[in-house]
Amino acid sequence: MALPKLDVPIYEAKLISTGKTVRFRPFTVKEQKLFLMAAESQDADNSIKTIGQVLQNCIIDDIDIQNIPLFDIENLFLNLRARSVGEMVNLKYRCNNSIEDEQGKHECGNIVQVDLNILEIEPKIAENHNNKIEITDKLGIVMKYPTFKMIQAATGQLDQTLLDM
């Protein structure tokens, strides 16, 4: 007897770096629990590892999460979160401006609530964007976008010798 297939919606997001379309499914309750446990641990390494694991689980197409630019990871994660939990995020900001009145000088403390639709966030590449830095007319450097693998190494999760830069 074959295992039952899960009927979940399939969504698409475009990689900014290549323009390639990537298909993904919403994350499950189990994967959401992984996020909650990572948040409770307050460990940056664990949070980064969890984000990578859930993204790899939810992306249907064959892409290597470790080697795509970080801005693509962030865009994929925003799309995944929007399709899994909801598009609207309720943000609250506390005003830290210093004000002076008859009571003296103190912090404002006013709380401003902002509702943000994260599907409306569209990363844009500037027309004159270039990954080359010219030092002189004859000398320059071609930069590489930071990848998920590089971030893991920077937080101590991977040994530096494992990086293929």
Side-chain angles (χ1 to χ4, degrees):
M1 183 157 98
L3 292 173
K5 287 193 174 192
L6 294 176
D7 289 328
V8 294
I10 304 294
Y11 298 101
E12 292 182 346
K14 191 174 274 192
L15 295 180
I16 303 159
S17 61
T18 62
K20 179 183 174 186
T21 300
V22 176
R23 296 175 306 142
F24 64 94
R25 64 164 175 82
F27 55 76
T28 62
V29 173
K30 274 187 182 179
E31 291 158 337
Q32 188 170 9
K33 189 174 181 180
L34 289 174
F35 285 133
L36 292 173
M37 290 187 322
E40 286 176 5
S41 75
Q42 296 182 346
D43 179 22
D45 291 345
N46 191 22
S47 296
I48 290 170
K49 188 177 181 181
T50 302
I51 290 170
Q53 178 183 355
V54 171
L55 275 172
Q56 196 70 56
N57 291 351
C58 294
I59 293 175
I60 296 168
D61 295 325
D62 188 30
I63 64 167
D64 184 11
I65 290 294
Q66 299 294 319
N67 292 314
I68 63 174
L70 201 55
F71 53 83
D72 278 332
I73 295 284
E74 291 170 351
N75 189 45
L76 284 171
F77 186 72
L78 279 177
N79 277 279
L80 179 63
R81 192 268 182 213
R83 301 302 186 181
S84 302
V85 178
E87 300 151 5
M88 296 304 291
V89 177
N90 302 325
L91 304 172
K92 292 182 183 178
Y93 293 101
R94 181 182 307 273
C95 178
N96 294 328
N97 291 343
S98 181
I99 58 173
E100 194 169 334
D101 57 14
E102 55 274 347
Q103 299 170 356
K105 193 173 184 178
H106 58 91
E107 192 175 276
C108 173
N110 189 29
I111 296 177
V112 179
Q113 184 169 339
V114 178
D115 294 330
L116 175 68
N117 183 341
I118 56 178
L119 285 179
E120 292 177 357
I121 299 172
E122 292 184 31
K124 294 185 169 82
I125 298 175
E127 288 180 25
N128 60 351
H129 173 75
N130 194 345
N131 61 345
K132 299 174 187 170
I133 300 173
E134 291 187 28
I135 298 172
T136 67
D137 291 341
K138 297 180 181 180
L139 182 64
I141 301 172
V142 177
M143 301 297 290
K144 180 179 179 182
Y145 296 118
T147 63
F148 200 66
K149 187 186 253 185
M150 290 177 187
I151 297 303
Q152 288 175 321
T155 60
Q157 191 170 347
L158 290 176
D159 188 317
Q160 280 287 359
T161 57
L162 295 177
L163 285 177
D164 299 324
M165 290 194 221

